[in-house]
Amino acid sequence: MKNFDENTIYIPLYGFTIRKVLKLSPPYTYITVKIEVLYMVMELLAPAGSYDVFKIAVNLGADAVYLAGEKFGARAYAENFSVEEIRKSVEYAHLNNTKVFITVNTLINDFEVVTLLKYLFKLYKIGVDAVIVQDFGVLKLIKSVFPKMKIHASTQMALNNYYSAIWAYENGVSRIIFPRELSVDEIHNIKLKLKENNIDMELEVFSHGALCYSISGNCYISSYNNGRSGNRGACTQPCRREYTLKYKGHNIDKGYLLSTHDINVSDDLDKLIGCGINSIKLEGRMKSEDYVGTIVNSYRNLLDEKEGRFREDLNLVFNRKFTKGYLLNQNPEDVMGRESSGHTGFYIGKIIAILDEEEITDKYTKKSKNRNIMKDDNNNKYNNKNDKNNNKNKTNKKSSSSKNPKDKKNEKYNETDRHIKTNKRIKIAKENLVEIEKGDGIAFKMGKKIKGIYLDEILEQNDEYLIFNTTRNVREGDEVFISYSQSIHSYLKEYKKEHIQSKIAISLDITLDNNLYPRVKSKFNLNNTNFEFSYTSPFPFEKAIKNPIEINEIKKQLSKTGETPFFIDHMDMENFSDNLFIPISKLNKIRRGILDRATKILLNYYKVDKTQIKNAEINLNNFIKEYNSGNLENTVPSTNNKLGVSVFVDNPNLIEIASEYSIAKIYFDPSYLYSNPNDYFENIKDLLIEGSWKAAGIELVWVLPTFISEQEIHKAVEVFNDLKNQGIHLSIMSDVTGISDLFNTKIYGNHNLNIWNSYSCENLKESGFNSLILSSELSYDEIKELNSKLVRNGVNLDLELIVHGNLEVIISNDDFSNLTSGKDLVMSDNSEYVILEDKKRKKFKYKVLFDFNKKSHFRNKDCLCLMEELGMIKNLGLSSIILDCRFSNESYSSQIISLYLEGLKDTNKKALHSLKKEIYSLTHSYLSKGNFLEGRIHEKD
């Protein structure tokens, strides 16, 4: 990059930057500017859930591929890769100048640490290009044991501002994968600040595919209600289910209310380049070969500015209709796709006429009842389902010989049945120009249902209409889509085989020595690193007797680099006379020798140095030895008879109620009191002054908004400092890493930091947090192990656990605008809420409230209540338990605080059971123990 003088100004534009280097001087009425276009190539990052998909992604031009091993990946139910398959994939990718990133982006508990590190060591030795990490503890472990391993911070880390980016840089992260909720404007602002401070940080965004409904993918519905944690890669996709929305007891909407459209930014790649994004990620590790192949092919060609219908091709593989997402500043009404959660395809047009109808007889063979009889590996027959029927037939022979039609199902012979269908010849008016081919998949939207067929015949087609036959029960006016392209499927077949692409330019300077042996000096560049090597041929040239070989023939043979990573871009030959000869077979061997040497250098470039591997192995063995040393039973925290109580409240009246009791802290969360940011920040100072006065000496903690923006952070700092100057002292609770330097006070970590292990605790303590709320997904055993490790390692950190309240399960940008009825959700007061009810599993209900940024907060309708477990909790060594009394009245909050304080005094089982009954009489809702006793019971092993 060039250096400009002090008069240089930077005018950021999408796609390029104008740099003014000449001043405007009188009497001129115009200025002259020098424009330098700064071109940055964005990496195309593709998904792969299997080796077959991986090959297609590489072959079609992905710059990098991300995949998961059999453990610790956020897609536990994908096919995923064994260690040997990862090794094979990495070599194949590197030969094609493609990188491989491994997702290690689940949360781990302390029981799994050694297994994780052994797995990471295998990845390190293989030479993977980076690992993608969510867990703050995993980040700390990699830094200490494998300091040379590149780390990408997962979107689930929720690093959404400059201060988080600085924290990531200081913690060894080389790339941030931004949350899907961040806009290009916010990203551009972060990029500029990083550049100003000479911080080299790669930035990555999701550009195509499924969007998570919850912010940063932090959703707990699947964990709390289905026993499968999304943070462990076992999400049950509750956002794709049907729901009913209720307001004040009335049904106001129904449909796939949490389902989002798929993001597609193929029209806006220049904007992503312009704001400094280094990599665009395509989603789809659970998707098919055709899906991944199509999106990689489309984006590769669009990035390379090739001509073709590549954007149109994206419509022909699975999608839930497209949005440009929050990334391109779209609103929730544009992002949400509440009418459907499935694939429809590319819209062709409507059925305008049913030209003919005829009844046809469809013949099929009714299968023998013995269809359930199978053979095992030893050819032994076994009957899995019909044994019971056979026994019935033996004991009731009269019934089996009856002519009753119902008994025909027991007949053991094949019979031909007949089924009458109506064949319709339909005419579709094309509203979008698309050429339909035989074998394509066609989808009909029939009311709320989507029904499909594969075309085996097209009767007539032009630019205006399409005619074919179908036995589907369609009607005039039904919408028709193409959902599958046979031609794309056929095109992708050629990319399924392993194939080394010649991507890297290599130069050859060849000189004949005095004995006519070719001596080669070769150069190539790989990822901005230059390589040079020499090669001496074992085969000399000879003086030609009859037919000398021509220089052009030599160059032709040496340039045949197919199925190698290289192509010859320059060849210089010296001391070659016109009367030389060498057999073509030996020329080919010389070429192979040169390219084999270059290939070995290429692969070694990606491999970790042996010394570094040895050092990493020493680090790993030392860690394991220390981890296993000592008797953990001697380090289990002793019973805490002074276990404190902290309380979440959301208004000043509840602060006053809580202050009447002997509690540790009051967490004041005023985010829901106002309907817009202006009102919040205009009133927050007075609210905090009032709250401080009502807290009556109890520590008051200001709970900052979730997913707070950088602009809001600055406003909060200003408010905090003003209050401090007035003598009002507050503590801060936040989920923002890197925030501790901004507030000169105690910093407490909120629950959505997802604390699962002792190493996360250590990392965040080192980052300035004085206390952390442990994840409510954890079980008693996991918490016990976590705190035992902290005690043994001498880490003094206050830990808290939410033991009562309606747990927050989702935070989303969705404001429930543009419902399926076409209307927006409008409530008369920001303190009100709506109920979201699972249409089929009606016991799953969620109270939805909105903060001042119109973010929706889902709270489980079931109430977490660990009253009966207080005796166990006292043995965990926690500093305090937390009662969440937000959105509760004064009477309820007062009684809940009183009951838990009483429970801590006497943890006798009978007494605690009696107190729980009192709580039930107050809540009148199901009291849940969450994951505390049994953990996540349906998690995949």
Side-chain angles (χ1 to χ4, degrees):
M1 186 177 292
K2 296 179 181 178
N3 293 319
F4 291 84
D5 62 28
E6 66 275 9
N7 297 317
T8 301
I9 64 168
Y10 297 84
I11 307 173
L13 297 176
Y14 289 127
F16 58 90
T17 299
I18 295 178
R19 296 184 170 182
K20 190 185 80 172
V21 296
L22 299 178
K23 291 183 178 179
L24 177 63
S25 303
Y28 301 107
T29 56
Y30 64 90
I31 61 172
T32 303
V33 297
K34 180 177 180 180
I35 298 176
E36 181 185 25
V37 177
L38 304 177
Y39 182 71
M40 182 181 69
V41 178
M42 283 194 303
E43 173 189 270
L44 178 59
L45 177 56
S50 69
Y51 186 67
D52 288 336
V53 175
F54 178 86
K55 287 184 295 183
I56 290 175
V58 172
N59 293 345
L60 282 163
D63 298 306
V65 182
Y66 66 103
L67 54 92
E70 293 172 337
K71 290 185 176 182
F72 307 114
R75 294 293 184 274
Y77 294 91
E79 187 174 330
N80 292 325
F81 292 67
S82 67
V83 171
E84 192 51 47
E85 285 176 318
I86 292 175
R87 191 188 317 277
K88 179 181 178 182
S89 299
V90 167
E91 180 165 330
Y92 182 67
H94 289 168
L95 287 172
N96 281 286
N97 198 22
T98 303
K99 295 180 179 180
V100 178
F101 307 143
I102 308 297
T103 61
V104 190
N105 57 340
T106 59
L107 301 173
I108 67 160
N109 57 54
D110 280 275
F111 295 114
E112 301 168 309
V113 166
V114 172
T115 302
L116 169 74
L117 288 175
K118 288 180 178 179
Y119 170 63
L120 286 169
F121 185 51
K122 291 176 183 178
L123 299 181
Y124 189 64
K125 288 190 293 183
I126 288 171
V128 302
D129 297 282
V131 289
I132 302 170
V133 170
Q134 171 191 5
D135 193 300
F136 298 117
V138 175
L139 177 59
K140 179 178 176 62
L141 288 166
I142 294 174
K143 276 173 53 186
S144 61
V145 181
F146 311 113
K148 298 295 184 181
M149 180 174 265
K150 280 197 171 184
I151 305 169
H152 295 176
S154 167
T155 181
Q156 292 157 288
M157 261 194 195
L159 307 179
N160 72 318
N161 56 69
Y162 171 69
Y163 303 106
S164 294
I166 292 293
W167 175 89
Y169 177 76
E170 292 172 348
N171 276 266
V173 171
S174 63
R175 175 183 295 189
I176 296 172
I177 307 168
F178 281 127
R180 296 168 175 89
E181 292 75 20
L182 219 57
S183 71
V184 288
D185 302 314
E186 292 170 303
I187 293 170
H188 191 210
N189 179 58
I190 294 170
K191 185 74 173 184
L192 288 177
K193 287 185 176 181
L194 291 171
K195 277 186 170 293
E196 287 171 8
N197 291 280
N198 296 315
I199 293 173
D200 185 18
M201 176 68 73
E202 295 179 356
L203 308 179
E204 176 183 309
V205 296
F206 282 87
S207 66
H208 194 94
L211 289 172
C212 237
Y213 180 77
S214 62
I215 289 177
S216 293
N218 286 319
C219 173
Y220 308 95
I221 288 182
S222 182
S223 178
Y224 296 152
N225 291 340
N226 301 307
R228 282 172 46 178
S229 172
N231 285 310
R232 301 276 283 177
C235 180
T236 56
Q237 291 198 306
C239 56
R240 305 301 179 186
R241 299 181 63 83
E242 287 188 89
Y243 291 91
T244 301
L245 190 66
K246 298 182 177 183
Y247 177 48
K248 293 184 176 180
H250 300 286
N251 293 354
I252 60 172
D253 204 24
K254 59 183 179 180
Y256 298 92
L257 301 182
L258 310 186
S259 187
T260 56
H261 291 309
D262 287 2
I263 191 171
N264 176 349
V265 299
S266 59
D267 287 328
D268 301 278
L269 297 176
D270 58 332
K271 293 182 180 179
L272 304 189
I273 292 172
C275 73
I277 290 169
N278 302 92
S279 176
I280 55 171
K281 173 177 279 183
L282 311 177
E283 182 275 336
R285 278 192 288 140
M286 299 284 283
K287 301 287 177 56
S288 67
E289 295 173 16
D290 278 6
Y291 177 88
V292 174
T294 300
I295 62 174
V296 171
N297 186 60
S298 292
Y299 276 88
R300 177 75 279 152
N301 284 287
L302 290 169
L303 286 168
D304 294 344
E305 299 181 341
K306 300 285 183 64
E307 295 293 328
R309 293 178 58 85
F310 304 114
R311 288 187 178 87
E312 290 80 359
D313 288 349
L314 296 171
N315 292 286
L316 303 180
V317 290
F318 185 94
N319 68 82
R320 301 177 179 92
K321 297 185 179 179
F322 290 127
T323 175
K324 294 185 179 183
Y326 302 117
L327 181 64
L328 273 302
N329 293 300
Q330 289 203 316
N331 296 316
E333 63 186 71
D334 304 308
V335 173
M336 299 307 300
R338 309 186 203 275
E339 68 281 357
S340 172
S341 65
H343 173 55
T344 53
F346 184 65
Y347 181 59
I348 302 171
K350 291 186 177 70
I351 299 174
I352 57 173
I354 296 177
L355 304 176
D356 190 23
E357 295 185 49
E358 63 173 338
E359 289 187 348
I360 60 172
T361 301
D362 178 30
K363 294 184 178 181
Y364 66 92
T365 300
K366 185 175 182 179
K367 293 182 180 179
S368 165
K369 189 189 76 170
N370 290 331
R371 65 187 179 275
N372 288 320
I373 297 178
M374 306 170 65
K375 293 184 179 181
D376 62 17
D377 292 338
N378 298 315
N379 292 325
N380 296 317
K381 291 185 178 181
Y382 63 96
N383 192 320
N384 59 357
K385 193 173 181 180
N386 292 301
D387 289 342
K388 191 180 291 185
N389 292 335
N390 290 339
N391 291 335
K392 285 182 180 179
N393 292 337
K394 290 177 183 177
T395 58
N396 193 348
K397 291 184 178 180
K398 183 176 181 180
S399 175
S400 67
S401 61
S402 168
K403 293 183 180 181
N404 188 330
K406 291 182 179 180
D407 292 320
K408 289 186 178 181
K409 66 182 180 181
N410 291 319
E411 294 174 359
K412 295 186 178 181
Y413 54 84
N414 293 335
E415 63 177 13
T416 300
D417 200 355
R418 297 176 181 272
H419 182 68
I420 297 175
K421 294 183 178 180
T422 300
N423 190 47
K424 298 180 180 182
R425 184 158 55 96
I426 61 174
K427 184 176 183 179
I428 298 107
K430 288 187 177 179
E431 297 179 37
N432 284 309
L433 186 60
V434 56
E435 187 72 15
I436 306 301
E437 301 176 356
K438 183 179 176 181
D440 284 350
I442 299 295
F444 303 102
K445 190 173 183 180
M446 303 155 63
K448 290 187 176 181
K449 295 183 178 180
I450 303 290
K451 298 292 183 180
I453 63 170
Y454 288 101
L455 282 180
D456 54 13
E457 184 181 17
I458 297 174
L459 301 177
E460 193 175 343
Q461 178 177 207
N462 56 35
D463 289 347
E464 296 181 356
Y465 63 83
L466 169 69
I467 298 174
F468 58 82
N469 290 327
T470 181
T471 57
R472 290 291 187 189
N473 188 27
V474 296
R475 297 172 296 181
E476 287 187 18
D478 284 349
E479 295 179 338
V480 184
F481 303 80
I482 173 173
S483 57
Y484 169 82
S485 170
Q486 178 61 38
S487 62
I488 289 179
H489 177 75
S490 300
Y491 170 76
L492 293 175
K493 283 183 178 178
E494 63 180 282
Y495 293 95
K496 291 186 177 184
K497 295 181 179 179
E498 291 187 2
H499 166 61
I500 307 302
Q501 303 168 67
S502 301
K503 292 182 179 180
I504 302 170
I506 189 170
S507 66
L508 305 179
D509 292 327
I510 309 172
T511 305
L512 283 186
D513 65 15
N514 294 333
N515 296 316
L516 302 183
Y517 282 88
R519 296 183 180 274
V520 182
K521 289 185 178 180
S522 181
K523 298 178 182 179
F524 67 91
N525 182 281
L526 182 62
N527 300 326
N528 297 320
T529 302
N530 292 316
F531 294 93
E532 298 183 15
F533 66 91
S534 298
Y535 173 84
T536 300
S537 167
F539 309 109
F541 278 74
E542 303 170 4
K543 295 291 184 181
I545 299 174
K546 292 183 178 180
N547 300 315
I549 189 169
E550 296 182 0
I551 295 293
N552 286 340
E553 182 63 22
I554 297 172
K555 288 185 175 183
K556 177 182 175 183
Q557 292 302 319
L558 294 180
S559 297
K560 292 180 178 180
T561 62
E563 289 301 316
T564 76
F566 304 95
F567 66 91
I568 309 297
D569 74 330
H570 170 78
M571 191 185 303
D572 189 29
M573 304 180 67
E574 293 184 10
N575 298 338
F576 282 81
S577 61
D578 295 334
N579 63 338
L580 297 175
F581 175 77
I582 191 171
I584 296 297
S585 60
K586 291 186 176 179
L587 269 182
N588 291 339
K589 289 180 179 179
I590 293 171
R591 181 192 68 237
R592 283 196 293 271
I594 297 169
L595 295 176
D596 285 349
R597 180 77 58 83
T599 299
K600 185 176 181 180
I601 292 171
L602 182 152
L603 290 175
N604 285 336
Y605 164 79
Y606 286 105
K607 290 179 180 177
V608 181
D609 180 81
K610 289 182 179 180
T611 303
Q612 292 178 6
I613 290 177
K614 185 65 177 175
N615 290 338
E617 187 173 21
I618 292 171
N619 291 341
L620 176 61
N621 290 335
N622 288 339
F623 178 91
I624 294 173
K625 184 178 180 180
E626 183 180 347
Y627 182 92
N628 292 328
S629 66
N631 187 348
L632 273 183
E633 292 182 2
N634 297 329
T635 59
V636 173
S638 59
T639 300
N640 186 358
N641 293 317
K642 295 183 180 180
L643 184 63
V645 175
S646 298
V647 181
F648 268 112
V649 299
D650 64 326
N651 64 69
N653 291 338
L654 290 184
I655 294 177
E656 190 169 13
I657 293 295
S659 69
E660 295 173 359
Y661 296 92
S662 178
I663 62 175
K665 294 185 288 290
I666 299 174
Y667 292 125
F668 179 36
D669 182 3
S671 302
Y672 306 87
L673 296 179
Y674 301 99
S675 59
N676 61 77
N678 287 336
D679 286 350
Y680 176 87
F681 282 104
E682 282 179 9
N683 292 280
I684 188 61
K685 193 182 297 183
D686 291 337
L687 267 178
L688 292 170
I689 291 172
E690 181 185 359
S692 178
W693 174 72
K694 288 186 173 181
I698 296 175
E699 183 179 0
L700 185 67
V701 183
W702 178 15
V703 180
L704 296 184
T706 303
F707 205 70
I708 188 171
S709 70
E710 194 168 314
Q711 184 181 16
E712 290 168 347
I713 290 174
H714 295 157
K715 290 181 179 179
V717 170
E718 185 179 335
V719 169
F720 175 85
N721 289 333
D722 283 350
L723 292 175
K724 188 175 181 181
N725 291 334
Q726 296 179 41
I728 296 172
H729 298 281
L730 302 169
S731 300
I732 295 291
M733 171 170 275
S734 179
D735 54 11
V736 177
T737 52
I739 203 171
S740 61
D741 292 336
L742 303 177
F743 296 91
N744 185 20
T745 189
K746 290 182 178 179
I747 304 293
Y748 300 131
N750 211 335
H751 76 96
N752 40 17
L753 283 170
N754 288 321
I755 304 303
W756 273 55
N757 57 72
S758 61
Y759 302 95
S760 291
C761 296
E762 289 187 40
N763 194 349
L764 293 179
K765 176 181 169 63
E766 292 165 3
S767 301
F769 285 91
N770 300 94
S771 176
L772 297 168
I773 299 177
L774 298 178
S775 171
S776 296
E777 291 192 82
L778 294 178
S779 68
Y780 168 82
D781 290 334
E782 289 169 323
I783 296 172
K784 183 178 179 181
E785 180 73 7
L786 181 159
N787 211 13
S788 297
K789 283 287 191 292
L790 286 179
V791 171
R792 196 185 71 179
N793 293 336
V795 179
N796 184 20
L797 177 67
D798 287 347
L799 298 178
E800 300 181 292
L801 181 69
I802 298 174
V803 300
H804 186 91
N806 301 96
L807 292 175
E808 189 172 69
V809 293
I810 281 182
I811 306 170
S812 172
N813 266 15
D814 185 16
D815 60 4
F816 283 83
S817 55
N818 193 23
L819 298 170
T820 58
S821 60
K823 299 179 181 179
D824 297 343
L825 173 64
V826 179
M827 297 190 297
S828 56
D829 190 280
N830 208 56
S831 63
E832 295 181 334
Y833 60 88
V834 291
I835 296 293
L836 193 75
E837 180 181 272
D838 192 308
K839 184 179 178 182
K840 292 184 178 179
R841 303 181 299 173
K842 296 185 183 296
K843 69 176 182 177
F844 294 135
K845 299 178 182 180
Y846 311 96
K847 183 185 288 188
V848 184
L849 304 107
F850 299 89
D851 65 23
F852 66 83
N853 276 319
K854 295 299 182 186
K855 288 183 175 65
S856 50
H857 297 249
F858 290 51
R859 304 187 79 83
N860 223 350
K861 200 71 166 54
D862 296 343
C863 180
L864 177 71
C865 177
L866 298 181
M867 174 63 81
E868 291 183 303
E869 287 67 45
L870 286 182
M872 299 172 66
I873 292 170
K874 289 180 78 170
N875 293 326
L876 289 174
L878 305 178
S879 63
S880 62
I881 58 172
I882 296 177
L883 312 176
D884 193 344
C885 293
R886 285 174 286 192
F887 322 113
S888 304
N889 61 41
E890 288 90 335
S891 174
Y892 173 87
S893 300
S894 179
Q895 291 180 76
I896 290 296
I897 297 170
S898 176
L899 289 170
Y900 272 92
L901 287 172
E902 186 178 344
L904 287 174
K905 291 177 184 176
D906 182 5
T907 55
N908 176 275
K909 288 185 178 180
K910 187 175 180 180
L912 293 178
H913 180 70
S914 177
L915 293 173
K916 181 183 176 181
K917 289 174 69 175
E918 288 189 53
I919 291 175
Y920 178 75
S921 69
L922 294 173
T923 62
H924 296 294
S925 64
Y926 177 74
L927 299 181
S928 166
K929 297 183 188 299
N931 294 334
F932 186 74
L933 293 181
E934 296 183 336
R936 301 157 305 280
I937 56 177
H938 295 128
E939 224 171 70
K940 184 180 178 182
D941 293 331

